[in-house]
Amino acid sequence: MAPRRMRGIVAMTGLGLLASRCDLGFLLPGGSPQQSRRDVATGLAGALAGILGSEQAEAYELPPLTYAYDALEPSIDKATMEFHHDKHHLTYVTNINKALEGKNQPPLLELQKTAIKDGAAFRNSGGGTYNHNFFWLEMAPKGSGGTPSDKLAAAINEAFGSMDDFKAKFEAAGAPGARFGSGWVWLVVA
């Protein structure tokens, strides 16, 4: 076995042991330490499979929410959350799995690197799956968020002029018709 692959296996095993001993509830808003440990263990198992060179990943799955469907009320009601997660997001997952049936299924992030070139099924369904996985993690029940860090606030002010100007430009970029995918807009900090 190559030394690099062996180092990867040792590192992943060490991370797995660390994850099993730590309270990782802070990683997922509203998530329990047991849920977070299970999610980390699942991710580490997938990473180990990649290091060992497994030929084909299993189909992508709809991840469970880390908070209750009604946790975002009054901003997003329970019925909308149930439909959006259990039907809309699931449709993206189902469609990308169909598009990749019988083929190698790379980690979802890797799939994004060639999604536009590979066609609409990969761009729309693969992108929709990735976006929604990210979307659910970035939202949290009221009272568990906060203001941006000083560093982020300074970067926003430098790039956009003010937080209010940033919000206006962000909302305009996500306005109906501005983007595929119902207004998906991200702020990326490099």
Side-chain angles (χ1 to χ4, degrees):
M1 188 174 294
R4 184 174 178 188
R5 184 172 284 182
M6 188 55 147
R7 283 194 305 267
I9 292 169
V10 170
M12 288 296 170
T13 303
L15 285 172
L17 290 171
L18 179 64
S20 70
R21 301 283 183 235
C22 296
D23 177 0
L24 301 172
F26 70 91
L27 289 174
L28 302 170
S32 69
Q34 293 77 23
Q35 176 75 31
S36 296
R37 283 188 197 111
R38 185 171 46 251
D39 292 342
V40 169
T42 301
L44 288 172
L48 264 175
I51 289 169
L52 293 172
S54 80
E55 288 298 310
Q56 189 166 332
E58 291 187 27
Y60 303 116
E61 294 181 3
L62 181 69
L65 289 179
T66 59
Y67 41 83
Y69 288 110
D70 63 356
L72 303 179
E73 290 182 345
S75 299
I76 304 175
D77 66 85
K78 180 180 178 179
T80 299
M81 288 293 291
E82 288 173 336
F83 178 83
H84 201 116
H85 180 265
D86 296 353
K87 298 204 182 337
H88 181 71
H89 186 180
L90 181 61
T91 298
Y92 282 127
V93 173
T94 300
N95 288 341
I96 192 58
N97 284 333
K98 283 180 186 174
L100 288 168
E101 196 169 344
K103 300 175 187 168
N104 184 33
Q105 290 188 279
L108 207 44
L109 182 58
E110 289 299 311
L111 183 70
Q112 302 315 299
K113 293 178 181 179
T114 59
I116 291 173
K117 178 184 71 154
D118 292 341
F122 298 92
R123 182 188 68 237
N124 296 349
S125 297
T129 299
Y130 180 82
N131 286 345
H132 280 81
N133 287 357
F134 181 71
F135 179 70
W136 303 124
L137 293 174
E138 292 304 310
M139 295 192 303
K142 189 173 184 172
S144 61
T147 58
S149 68
D150 291 341
K151 185 176 178 180
L152 178 58
I156 287 171
N157 288 337
E158 183 179 328
F160 297 96
S162 70
M163 182 60 77
D164 288 336
D165 288 344
F166 160 70
K167 287 178 182 178
K169 290 176 182 172
F170 196 80
E171 288 175 14
R179 301 276 182 277
F180 171 82
S182 306
W184 281 102
V185 181
W186 296 359
L187 172 64
V188 176
V189 180

